[in-house]
Amino acid sequence: MKFDYLFRNVTVIDGSGGAEYRADVAVQGDRIAEIAPSVAGGAVHEIEGRGRVLAPGFIDVHTHDDINIIRMPDYLPKISQGVTTVIVGNCGISAACATIKGEVPDPMNLLGDAPQFAYPTVEAYAQAVAQARPAINVGTLVGHTTLRNNQMASLFRAATVEEIAAMRAELEQALRQGALGLSTGLAYASAFQSTTEEVMALAEALTAEEGLYTTHLRSEFEPILEALDEAFRIGRHSRVPVVVSHHKCAGAKNWGRTVETLALFDRVRAQQDVACDCYPYSASSSTLDMKQVTDDFDIVITWSEPHPEVAGQTLKQIAARWSVSLHEAAAALMPAGAIYYNMDEQDVRRVLRYPVTMIGSDGLPNDPMPHPRLWGAFPRVLGHYSRDEKLFPLTVAVHKMTGLSAARFRLPERGLVKRGYYADLVLFDPATVRDVASFSDPKQPAAGIEAVMVNGVMSYGQSQQVTGRAGRFLRREKGNKEHT
C-alpha cells in the first residue's frame, strides 16, 4: 500500500508520558495508519526524521483566539509552535454565544470589537470556523461573563434568579451543541459581584452533559487559598472536573505560596477531579487593572487607547515623565493593556512540574506588543525548561501539552501518536527547539519546529509559512472519563 505520508526513523514521543521509541509512522487521509519499526511500502511524501522527535500536535488549552482564528485563519502564532488545537472561551469570555448590545465590556474587549462578535450560539461559531478553514483545530468553552452580558443590564451586581435561569438555558443549549464546558473570570470587575451560588447554579448544567468547569480564580493574590476553595466547592457541588486557569501566586507578598496551593491540590485530588494549566513565564498579561497597580514590580504598558505612543514603556517611567502617581498615570492610560512582572520563577517551576498541570499560552493576539507567550509558550517548555533547565524529561513535557490535555478536555482520538488517531503531528529537533519570541520582539516564530500536520494535511514547515488549512471545530465527547 502507498501511504500519503511516511515519517521515517523518527523518535516517537507519543503523548502518553511513556518512554520514547524509534519507529516509522505512516499517515493515510486524516489518520495515523501505521506505526512500526520499519513500515513496508512507500508513500507519496516521505520525510526522513532521523534525530527528530515526532509528537502529537500540541493542544493549547488556554487561549483567547476566539475571533482571531476566524479572521486570520493561517494563525501563524500558534501553528509555528507546533500547536494543532486551541481551546478558546477561557476566563469567562467567549465569542461563542455572545450578543453585544453596545460597548464590549472589559475583559471581553480582549477578543475584539463589537462587530466581530457575530456568533450568538455555539453552532453559529462552529459554522464560522468551518467556513474560515483555519490552519488548526478549535474547541470552545462558554464564558460566564459572556452569559452575564447577554442577560444583565449591569454586570456589577449579582444576577437575579430569573437572570440565572436565562443564563443556564443558554449554557444548556451551548453544551448540547458541543461546547466543552463553562469558564469563569471571577477576578474581573464584570464578574466579581457574582455569588458562588450563581456559578454553582450554572455549573449544575454541566453535570448531565459531562462538561468541565475552568476558572480564572476570584483572586490569584493573598486570598488565593479561599479562591481555590471556592473553585473546588463549585466542582464538588456540580460533580464535574475543575481546571484552575493559569495557576500562579501573583504579587510580591504572595511569592513562594505555590508550596501551599499545590499542597491543597494534593489534598483535594484525593476526593475530586481537579487540575490546572500554566504558561511558562513569570510575567502575566491582561488589561490594565487599577487593583493590580503597584510599585512592588514592573508593569509594562502594551497598548493604550488615549496614549498609544507609550506602548512598551513601564508605568513607572510614564508616571515619572508626567509627574503623577502610578494610579493617576494608570487612570489616564485606560483603557489599556499591561504586562505584569508579578510572579516568582520558583513558583512557575513548581506549577509547571506539578503532575496534572497542562500547558496553555494565555496569549492575547490583539495586543500590538503581545506577551511573548503568544508565539513562544510551547517551544519554551520543550527547550528552556525541559532540555536546558532539566525541569522534567521531554516525554513529560510533551504529555503536558498533548495526551493530558486531550483527555481532560474530552477531545476524542487526539493527543496521542496512535494508530487510528487523527494525524495531528509535529516534527521537531530536540537539540534546537526554542522560543525566539521575546518581550522586546515578541512576534517571532519558534526555532526547531520542522513540520506540523493537521488532520493529515502538511500545514507548516521549515519555510515558516502556512502550507495548509485543515483545522476543524472540535466538540466534546461524552462518556470517556479516563484522564491519562
Side-chain angles (χ1 to χ4, degrees):
M1 159 174 201
K2 201 160 193 178
F3 298 103
D4 292 334
Y5 286 90
L6 183 56
F7 295 88
R8 291 266 189 211
N9 304 308
V10 290
T11 299
V12 176
I13 296 182
D14 69 4
S16 69
E20 63 184 50
Y21 60 91
R22 186 67 60 85
D24 291 355
V25 177
V27 172
Q28 187 69 31
D30 63 357
R31 302 276 179 161
I32 298 167
E34 187 64 68
I35 305 170
S38 180
V39 170
V44 178
H45 306 281
E46 287 202 18
I47 298 157
E48 173 54 48
R50 196 177 303 275
R52 305 298 187 257
V53 168
L54 188 70
F58 307 138
I59 299 169
D60 190 344
V61 298
H62 192 104
T63 85
H64 298 290
D65 299 331
D66 305 46
I67 292 170
N68 293 66
I69 200 76
I70 294 169
R71 289 179 54 233
M72 295 176 283
D74 279 6
Y75 219 50
L76 198 58
K78 294 298 167 70
I79 198 162
S80 64
Q81 298 182 60
V83 169
T84 58
T85 296
V86 293
I87 307 298
V88 303
N90 284 280
C91 294
I93 57 174
S94 62
C97 300
T99 303
I100 303 295
K101 304 174 189 73
E103 289 286 310
V104 183
D106 184 270
M108 289 179 69
N109 54 5
L110 290 173
L111 302 183
D113 300 325
Q116 296 165 353
F117 286 85
Y119 320 109
T121 63
V122 166
E123 196 56 53
Y125 184 76
Q127 288 173 13
V129 168
Q131 190 170 359
R133 293 186 307 107
I136 56 180
N137 303 309
V138 188
T140 189
L141 299 156
V142 174
H144 170 228
T145 301
T146 293
L147 297 174
R148 296 185 105 234
N149 169 75
N150 293 352
Q151 301 298 335
M152 300 173 66
S154 170
L155 302 180
F156 306 104
R157 59 172 175 81
T160 65
V161 172
E162 294 75 19
E163 288 164 343
I164 293 170
M167 286 191 274
R168 180 164 169 167
E170 275 195 284
L171 176 60
E172 287 170 345
Q173 180 191 49
L175 292 165
R176 288 193 298 271
Q177 293 177 358
L180 303 172
L182 172 70
S183 78
T184 57
L186 299 178
Y188 292 102
S190 47
F192 190 76
Q193 297 304 324
S194 60
T195 63
T196 306
E197 290 70 27
E198 175 182 323
V199 182
M200 282 179 170
L202 295 178
E204 288 168 3
L206 302 170
T207 313
E209 293 294 330
E210 299 177 13
L212 81 169
Y213 174 62
T214 78
T215 179
H216 178 148
L217 297 171
R218 205 174 284 271
S219 177
E220 296 175 324
F221 291 81
E222 282 85 345
I224 190 166
L225 292 179
E226 294 84 350
L228 283 167
D229 179 67
E230 178 186 40
F232 298 152
R233 281 191 292 128
I234 291 165
R236 277 198 303 277
H237 173 80
S238 51
R239 303 188 305 283
V240 296
V242 176
V243 174
V244 175
S245 296
H246 43 59
H247 183 41
K248 67 175 79 72
C249 287
K253 297 184 180 71
N254 226 19
W255 290 348
R257 292 190 65 206
T258 55
V259 172
E260 297 173 59
T261 64
L262 296 177
L264 177 59
F265 268 90
D266 282 340
R267 292 194 297 274
V268 172
R269 282 173 60 209
Q271 278 86 40
Q272 67 183 106
D273 191 357
V274 301
C276 64
D277 66 61
C278 176
Y279 49 82
Y281 299 85
S282 57
S284 67
S285 179
S286 187
T287 49
L288 183 59
D289 176 8
M290 296 298 282
K291 289 191 296 184
Q292 295 191 54
V293 171
T294 177
D295 60 4
D296 289 343
F297 48 79
D298 276 342
I299 300 170
V300 175
I301 303 304
T302 56
W303 59 271
S304 166
E305 281 193 11
H307 294 281
E309 73 280 359
V310 305
Q313 299 174 28
T314 69
L315 187 59
K316 284 180 186 174
Q317 290 169 333
I318 297 163
R321 195 168 63 256
W322 291 354
S323 300
V324 297
S325 72
L326 289 180
H327 282 84
E328 287 169 329
L333 291 168
M334 293 176 75
I339 289 171
Y340 303 89
Y341 288 83
N342 60 1
M343 285 172 269
D344 177 65
E345 175 65 18
Q346 293 309 312
D347 283 327
V348 174
R349 289 170 181 243
R350 279 188 209 101
V351 176
L352 279 172
R353 208 166 37 218
Y354 194 63
V356 294
T357 299
M358 301 167 288
I359 306 304
S361 70
D362 195 20
L364 302 178
N366 294 317
D367 267 14
M369 191 175 176
H371 190 302
R373 63 193 180 183
L374 179 69
W375 288 78
F378 290 81
R380 183 170 173 80
V381 172
L382 300 172
H384 176 68
Y385 281 110
S386 177
R387 180 192 61 228
D388 301 342
E389 296 295 318
K390 297 181 170 44
L391 193 64
F392 34 59
L394 195 55
T395 52
V396 172
V398 170
H399 176 57
K400 286 176 170 291
M401 49 182 78
T402 58
L404 185 66
S405 308
R408 174 67 53 188
F409 282 83
R410 297 180 183 270
L411 304 177
E413 299 177 320
R414 297 186 193 270
L416 298 175
V417 179
K418 186 174 179 179
R419 190 182 289 107
Y421 271 46
Y422 289 101
D424 292 349
L425 299 166
V426 56
L427 185 74
F428 66 90
D429 183 342
T432 63
V433 67
R434 68 182 181 91
D435 56 312
V436 178
S438 65
F439 284 97
S440 59
D441 194 3
K443 297 180 181 180
Q444 299 295 320
I449 302 292
E450 299 194 357
V452 184
M453 176 176 278
V454 181
N455 295 310
V457 174
M458 196 59 77
S459 301
Y460 178 83
Q462 288 174 303
S463 67
Q464 297 192 327
Q465 300 296 317
V466 172
T467 58
R469 291 190 358 220
R472 299 173 183 172
F473 182 76
L474 304 184
R475 300 173 198 266
R476 185 192 70 264
E477 181 189 53
K478 291 174 67 173
N480 172 19
K481 294 196 179 290
E482 178 189 355
H483 295 302
T484 57

